[in-house]
Amino acid sequence: MTWDDLDAHLDRVPGTVSAYVGRLDAPPTWTRHPDAAHYAASTMKVAVLAALHRAAEAGTLDLDAPVPVVNDFDSAQPGAPRFANAQHYDNDDAVWDRLGGTATLRWLADRMIVRSSNLATNLVLGHVGLPAVAEVWALAGARNSVTGRGIEDFAAREAGITNTVTAADLAALLGTLATGADTPGHLASPAACTTMLDVLLAQEHREDLAAGLPEGTRIAHKNGWVRGVRHGAGLVLPDDAPPYLIAVCTTTDLAGGDDVEDDACLLLAHISAQVWATRHQL
């Protein structure tokens, strides 16, 4: 396979397929519409995770302090009613089982990533705030990604406030975490970056990018999907080659939104497998 072959294959996919592939701290090996904006779905949760750990390092939040587990949130649209999440739209009953009780921010952040819990995300976001997430994107060097609201904040969505990402920005964020784990960085300390990567390595939704890799291959990643959208972004850690970044964003009719393993999911797995096959030449 050549990158031209892969581009030709993706040219036949209806909609927009964006990608960024490359080593850490190096120009990308292959990109495809890397700066095209897509609705973020759950990929924005990586930026929320980073904002939480930055707040903990600054001493403004305690990761291990219990906080109330509620389902009642401020809308990002000024003057709009408060909103709530729907349990049937979530991926993690464990968080809902604690409704009315408490949980630590560390535990909620883990559930936000490994099970992609929407309720956990809005709880964490309520403590860190949208400006802190915007600061994470800026510090990572993201140019076009915005986290403007919580999940299921429909009043904000109707007002045009949304969450967007690009393949290049997702790769930049993951790359910042990866390089920060080895050297002091401007986003978080090496220890905090390592902790965040460990959470991303524990990801339990392994149907797309991870499905294109040999079983047992380590990948610190986050995916997201709704109807019309399927994304995956990860740091792949082969045993026989240097680490590499891969981010694929799709806005296409292939993404049904109801099935975890739809045609868009299979497309991401295919791209991931093709990139894996070239890992020594990246």
Side-chain angles (χ1 to χ4, degrees):
M1 179 216 75
T2 68
W3 301 116
D4 287 343
D5 293 335
L6 187 52
D7 270 318
H9 172 72
L10 297 176
D11 284 343
R12 297 191 290 272
V13 175
T16 302
V17 179
S18 302
Y20 180 107
V21 171
R23 300 262 186 240
L24 296 171
D25 285 339
T29 302
W30 172 63
T31 62
R32 176 186 174 85
H33 309 312
D35 297 319
H38 299 258
Y39 174 65
S42 290
T43 58
M44 48 78 77
K45 296 172 183 177
V46 181
V48 178
L49 177 70
L52 175 64
H53 280 269
R54 281 176 56 78
E57 289 203 309
T60 57
L61 288 175
D62 181 350
L63 292 177
D64 296 310
V67 298
V69 179
V70 299
N71 186 20
D72 181 52
F73 305 104
D74 287 324
S75 173
Q77 170 63 12
R82 295 172 67 83
F83 72 98
N85 290 124
Q87 185 170 2
H88 70 84
Y89 190 60
D90 210 332
N91 295 298
D92 189 12
D93 287 337
V95 181
W96 291 85
D97 289 343
R98 299 201 183 192
L99 198 60
T102 63
T104 67
L105 287 170
R106 187 186 304 276
W107 183 82
L108 289 168
D110 286 354
R111 306 309 294 183
M112 172 179 72
I113 298 297
V114 303
R115 291 303 306 164
S116 204
S117 169
N118 294 336
L119 180 58
T121 302
N122 283 341
L123 287 164
V124 173
L125 188 57
H127 285 275
V128 302
L130 290 167
V133 182
E135 185 176 16
V136 164
W137 285 119
L139 289 172
R143 295 180 296 175
N144 300 292
S145 295
V146 175
T147 302
R149 61 172 174 83
I151 298 172
E152 296 176 76
D153 183 354
F154 298 126
R157 184 184 69 180
E158 289 167 8
I161 301 170
T162 190
N163 301 323
T164 58
V165 293
T166 71
D169 289 348
L170 287 170
L173 178 55
L174 287 170
T176 300
L177 295 182
T179 55
D182 296 323
T183 57
H186 52 271
L187 184 61
S189 70
C193 288
T194 298
T195 297
M196 287 186 269
L197 288 175
D198 285 343
V199 174
L200 292 162
L201 282 164
Q203 171 65 253
E204 295 178 9
H205 289 292
R206 301 181 62 83
E207 301 86 6
D208 39 53
L209 294 183
L213 303 173
E215 181 140 2
T217 303
R218 294 188 303 152
I219 175 172
H221 69 121
K222 185 70 191 81
N223 40 24
W225 62 90
V226 296
R227 183 173 296 278
V229 164
R230 182 87 198 198
H231 309 323
L235 170 70
V236 182
L237 300 160
D239 290 333
D240 62 349
Y244 64 87
L245 296 162
I246 177 171
V248 182
C249 299
T250 70
T251 300
T252 168
D253 291 341
L254 297 179
D258 298 322
D259 258 342
V260 172
E261 297 188 55
D262 56 19
D263 287 341
C265 173
L266 298 177
L267 177 65
L268 264 66
H270 171 75
I271 295 170
S272 182
Q274 297 300 312
V275 174
W276 173 266
T278 69
R279 66 192 180 281
H280 297 293
Q281 290 78 47
L282 292 177

